[in-house]
Amino acid sequence: MTSETARNSVWETALTVVQETTPPFIPQGAHAMTVVIAYPPGDPGAPPHRHPGGPAFGYVIEGEMLFELEGEPPRVIKAGEAFWEPGGDIIHYSDGNNRDDAGLRFVVTMVCDPTQPMLVLVDDDELLARADRRVRVEPKE
């Protein structure tokens, strides 16, 4: 087998699906933006926010993220794992570094409606008004 033959067949097994979903909406005229975010050890990440312009899809490159969306319990996403959020009105409470001894890097591709900001912070009054939508996890004893 020549290297040309090997190279031409490797692509058939090179792909690994890490996430598959049907987003709730893709805005008309949307564009996509891919960013890499890096937080130092123990960093809490972005304050509560939403992505009104559309869904976001991410992958943790290194470290561990504490991830929390409105209506879902907080969870830890480790390097090599994917996540997504529907965007729109859903509050994204946490994307912080879950570790205080290692950095966190993740890549996110956001689908953006050009008429909407990519990210909007949620104020304290709205957090209080929507507190019943946040899933609290009781600590294990």
Side-chain angles (χ1 to χ4, degrees):
M1 176 165 60
T2 68
S3 63
E4 184 69 25
T5 305
R7 186 179 67 223
N8 286 335
S9 63
V10 169
W11 71 268
E12 295 176 17
T13 59
L15 181 126
T16 300
V17 175
V18 294
Q19 172 175 244
E20 218 176 327
T21 187
T22 302
F25 73 102
I26 301 291
Q28 183 72 24
H31 68 279
M33 177 189 320
T34 300
V35 298
V36 174
I37 299 170
Y39 292 140
D43 193 277
H49 62 276
R50 63 172 51 95
H51 299 282
F57 304 88
Y59 181 83
V60 176
I61 300 167
E62 56 186 59
E64 296 179 0
M65 176 196 299
L66 180 59
F67 184 82
E68 182 185 358
L69 287 180
E70 186 172 65
E72 297 179 10
R75 61 190 167 114
V76 173
I77 301 172
K78 297 180 179 184
E81 297 177 342
F83 60 93
W84 84 285
E85 58 184 288
D89 191 45
I90 303 297
I91 295 174
H92 185 177
Y93 291 103
S94 178
D95 68 354
N97 190 339
N98 191 53
R99 308 236 348 226
D100 60 10
D101 64 341
L104 166 66
R105 279 190 336 123
F106 58 99
V107 62
V108 179
T109 298
M110 293 167 281
V111 177
C112 304
D113 178 339
T115 68
Q116 298 283 332
M118 184 262 303
L119 182 142
V120 174
L121 297 182
V122 178
D123 65 32
D124 290 340
D125 290 339
E126 185 176 4
L127 290 173
L128 185 60
R130 293 170 73 133
D132 63 322
R133 301 180 192 190
R134 193 167 186 182
V135 176
R136 299 289 184 173
V137 177
E138 297 299 321
K140 294 180 181 177
E141 296 186 26

